[in-house]
Amino acid sequence: MIHKLTTPSASFHTSWLESYDEWGTLDQDGSAAFVAARYDLDLRDSSDFAKWVEVLHELPKQSFRPPEGLANQSTIWVVRDAAYLGSVSLRHALANEYLTEVGGHIGYGIRPSARGQGLAKFALKGAMEEGRTLGMERVLVTCKQPNVASARTIESCGGVLESVRPPASFAPALGVTESIRRYWIDL
């Protein structure tokens, strides 16, 4: 079975819900599910899910103004046949303090049942290619200190560690509770 990168599609609703159940939360790295909350959408509802997908298609457009606190971004899904396996988001700019300090340009996440198959690296490389297409020269990619698998993924894609910053080094409003590893990748 071959996995691929694709733009979000409402056709993956059932599989996305299975992934949601595995995660147990909307707080899924790279998924941009938090965007749905900004539009008061219930992603368990197929109609709201389709509206969310439409927003994800609008977010990369320079003419689109995202809600306060969000940045223009490209969201790419990792799929295999009809199965949603994960996603990666590329923020086109570090448009706010959270992204500049904690979130970085790229966030990615693979559903628990699909981990350990190299899909995070596959997703990160896809986001890097999208960044090159957009003319970006380098990107900031971060992970929590204890996430060794993510650190290895970033390093395997050329990530150069800038620093490991403890929670106390961030403004309290950013809500950071673990040390953050900050990497730069030249595109």
Side-chain angles (χ1 to χ4, degrees):
M1 294 188 287
I2 297 174
H3 48 270
K4 67 178 185 174
L5 300 174
T6 188
T7 57
S9 169
S11 67
F12 289 97
H13 186 231
T14 299
S15 183
W16 191 93
L17 287 175
E18 292 167 358
S19 175
Y20 170 83
D21 288 341
E22 287 180 28
W23 281 88
T25 179
L26 281 180
D27 188 18
Q28 302 170 28
D29 295 330
S31 74
F34 60 88
V35 172
R38 291 296 189 95
Y39 289 90
D40 198 29
L41 299 173
D42 176 4
L43 295 181
R44 292 196 173 273
D45 177 84
S46 61
S47 171
D48 279 1
F49 186 85
K51 290 175 187 171
W52 174 61
V53 166
E54 289 175 18
V55 172
L56 295 181
H57 285 265
E58 293 298 312
L59 272 171
K61 298 176 181 175
Q62 288 183 351
S63 60
F64 183 78
R65 295 286 172 227
E68 180 72 29
L70 301 182
N72 289 92
Q73 68 179 41
S74 301
T75 303
I76 304 165
W77 286 0
V78 181
V79 301
R80 181 181 299 127
D81 300 322
Y84 168 88
L85 304 175
S87 60
V88 59
S89 290
L90 169 70
R91 273 78 68 163
H92 300 177
L94 300 177
N96 57 51
E97 184 181 15
Y98 182 82
L99 293 178
T100 301
E101 298 297 323
V102 182
H105 287 99
I106 299 174
Y108 55 86
I110 303 300
R111 70 191 279 177
S113 65
R115 293 179 184 159
Q117 301 174 36
L119 297 177
K121 183 176 180 178
F122 180 66
L124 179 53
K125 285 185 172 186
M128 292 167 55
E129 185 57 37
E130 175 73 6
R132 284 185 200 94
T133 299
L134 294 171
M136 299 172 77
E137 294 180 11
R138 69 182 197 149
V139 291
L140 174 65
V141 186
T142 67
C143 67
K144 294 176 181 170
Q145 172 67 9
N147 192 340
V148 175
S150 190
R152 286 187 184 142
T153 295
I154 297 166
E155 291 166 0
S156 74
C157 289
V160 176
L161 184 65
E162 171 198 86
S163 62
V164 178
R165 295 180 54 196
S169 69
F170 298 100
L174 297 180
V176 177
T177 59
E178 297 181 78
S179 294
I180 302 293
R181 298 178 66 86
R182 295 170 46 92
Y183 292 90
W184 287 95
I185 300 176
D186 288 329
L187 300 179

